[in-house]
Amino acid sequence: MNEITKIVATTTAKDWASDQEVRWCPGCGDYAVLKAVQRTMPDLGVARENTVFVSGIGCSSRFPYYMASYGFHTIHGRAPAVATGVKLANPELDVWIITGDGDALSIGGNHTMHLLRRNLDCQFLLFNNEIYGLTKGQYSPTSRIGTRSPSTPFGSVDRPANPCSFALGAGARFIARAIDVHKALPDVLKAAHAHKGASFIEIFQNCVVYNDDVFASFTAKEFASERQLWLKAGEKMIFSGGTKGLSFDRDRMALTIVDATDPAVLVHDLKNRTLAQLLIEMPATAGFPVALGVIYEDPAPTFESAVIEQNRAVSEGKKVDLQALVAKGQSWQVEKEPRAE
């Protein structure tokens, strides 16, 4: 019998843009992420009718309206739960979750955790602007200590959550970071899509109204070379214009900065979980860079594949008999005619 030839979808970036007016604040980083995703989708060879974008509540959660595909704009923090149902109902669908630091790590923290530990095959894009933008600038779980906002007028005293550290602790098998306006964002998206399982991407996204330039210390042009470390599997961890590198201090059990020519410069190992933790939690001071790109990837069986296999094994050899199912257990039949009034 002839094998069925799989048809690869051929689309353009315009094909992925819906007819809806994009409504974010002028200059918002969400525009750049939207364009990056729309430009990336054609390169993935996926079909719009097999693609679903699921979001929760927040500025980023308007995203599904602007993609010419299927989409769900769900409720606060519950995008992972809805996405799980979508994937289990039809595992062939390509599922993307769009969320923010407040949506995913506050009210939706437990849902995010369970999706990652289960390893549902999806792309999880967390837009991190370290603030609640939609609800007028309150501090969020990722806001830094001292952040002044309507809900913290004297400055936040909370220690901020680290999204990638949270993901690693929850059992995520793919963790990456990117910047909203950086040209490397599409490459990170492609890597996430190629991974079989839950792909977690933290995207540093600038909120021009309530938290403008909060990431400028490493995103601004004058600091980018010095403070950004774009990781590549199997390559040395070099930054600062190729002059500095990262090494491991065994006495302190911590990363240290060395000259790029030092033979002790570390080579990026995607499957090294301990190294991933060190890279994620590098201090923002003492000249250390921000780790960007794919930080960790170690594939494992997906949640939906386990569910499908379990259902197959349970149903194997069984005959479908609805009547027998209805009659099983506590059931009875009323034979007496109802009494006439």
Side-chain angles (χ1 to χ4, degrees):
M1 186 171 69
N2 294 332
E3 293 185 0
I4 298 176
T5 302
K6 185 176 181 180
I7 300 175
V8 179
T10 301
T11 59
T12 66
K14 288 184 178 180
D15 292 327
W16 289 91
S18 75
D19 60 356
Q20 299 298 299
E21 178 189 359
V22 182
R23 298 181 64 186
W24 285 312
C25 299
C28 176
D30 288 358
Y31 285 98
V33 181
L34 175 64
K35 286 298 182 183
V37 172
Q38 290 172 342
R39 290 197 305 268
T40 301
M41 299 306 287
D43 294 337
L44 302 180
V46 294
R48 293 180 299 167
E49 61 270 22
N50 290 331
T51 304
V52 184
F53 284 84
V54 183
S55 67
I57 295 296
C59 296
S60 64
S61 294
R62 296 189 61 82
F63 206 94
Y65 294 104
Y66 309 138
M67 297 297 297
S69 65
Y70 287 110
F72 281 91
H73 188 177
T74 70
I75 58 178
H76 211 180
R78 272 62 176 184
V82 174
T84 300
V86 169
K87 191 67 177 180
L88 289 178
N90 187 350
E92 298 302 315
L93 293 176
D94 189 14
V95 178
W96 297 71
I97 298 175
I98 308 296
T99 184
D101 46 303
D103 187 52
L105 298 178
S106 184
I107 190 170
N110 61 329
H111 293 282
T112 300
M113 176 186 71
H114 294 307
L115 179 131
L116 295 176
R117 73 171 179 82
R118 286 170 173 159
N119 198 31
L120 186 83
D121 187 23
C122 65
Q123 292 71 240
F124 191 104
L125 277 56
L126 188 150
F127 295 28
N128 182 15
N129 55 22
E130 296 189 3
I131 207 77
Y132 277 106
L134 185 66
T135 50
K136 306 301 180 289
Q138 298 90 338
Y139 87 116
S140 82
T142 59
S143 295
R144 303 173 195 189
I145 292 176
T147 298
R148 291 180 178 272
S149 75
S151 54
T152 54
F154 304 110
S156 170
V157 296
D158 281 2
R159 188 167 68 117
N162 184 323
C164 287
S165 184
F166 174 90
L168 189 66
R173 312 297 297 209
F174 180 103
I175 298 173
R177 277 190 186 137
I179 300 169
D180 52 9
V181 296
H182 200 282
K183 63 182 180 180
L185 176 55
D187 292 331
V188 175
L189 295 173
K190 291 174 188 177
H193 187 266
H195 175 80
K196 188 70 173 176
S199 300
F200 181 90
I201 309 173
E202 177 187 10
I203 302 174
F204 295 112
Q205 179 261 323
N206 191 44
C207 175
V208 294
V209 176
Y210 296 110
N211 215 13
D212 194 22
D213 288 336
V214 70
F215 304 118
S217 62
F218 65 90
T219 60
K221 187 176 181 179
E222 61 267 32
F223 305 125
S225 175
E226 181 74 20
R227 294 293 319 283
Q228 294 180 20
L229 170 60
W230 285 92
L231 300 163
K232 292 185 179 180
E235 294 188 11
K236 290 186 175 182
M237 299 182 186
I238 303 293
F239 64 101
S240 190
T243 63
K244 299 177 183 178
L246 289 181
S247 184
F248 184 69
D249 186 332
R250 293 181 180 275
D251 293 330
R252 297 187 302 113
M253 297 297 286
L255 294 176
T256 186
I257 299 173
V258 297
D259 190 88
T261 59
D262 193 318
V265 171
L266 294 170
V267 172
H268 188 35
D269 179 2
L270 286 174
K271 292 188 177 183
N272 190 325
R273 194 174 187 276
T274 300
L275 178 59
Q277 187 72 64
L278 292 171
L279 289 169
I280 288 169
E281 297 191 348
M282 276 193 296
T285 57
F288 281 96
V290 176
L292 298 161
V294 181
I295 299 172
Y296 178 68
E297 182 177 16
D298 189 11
T302 63
F303 179 61
E304 72 278 4
S305 63
V307 172
I308 292 169
E309 175 56 28
Q310 183 182 65
N311 289 341
R312 184 204 61 77
V314 170
S315 62
E316 188 174 6
K318 293 184 178 180
K319 181 182 178 182
V320 178
D321 190 336
L322 181 60
Q323 186 58 42
L325 182 64
V326 172
K328 183 180 179 181
Q330 294 183 345
S331 61
W332 61 92
Q333 183 174 347
V334 179
E335 297 180 349
K336 186 177 180 181
E337 292 292 329
R339 184 177 60 183
E341 293 295 336

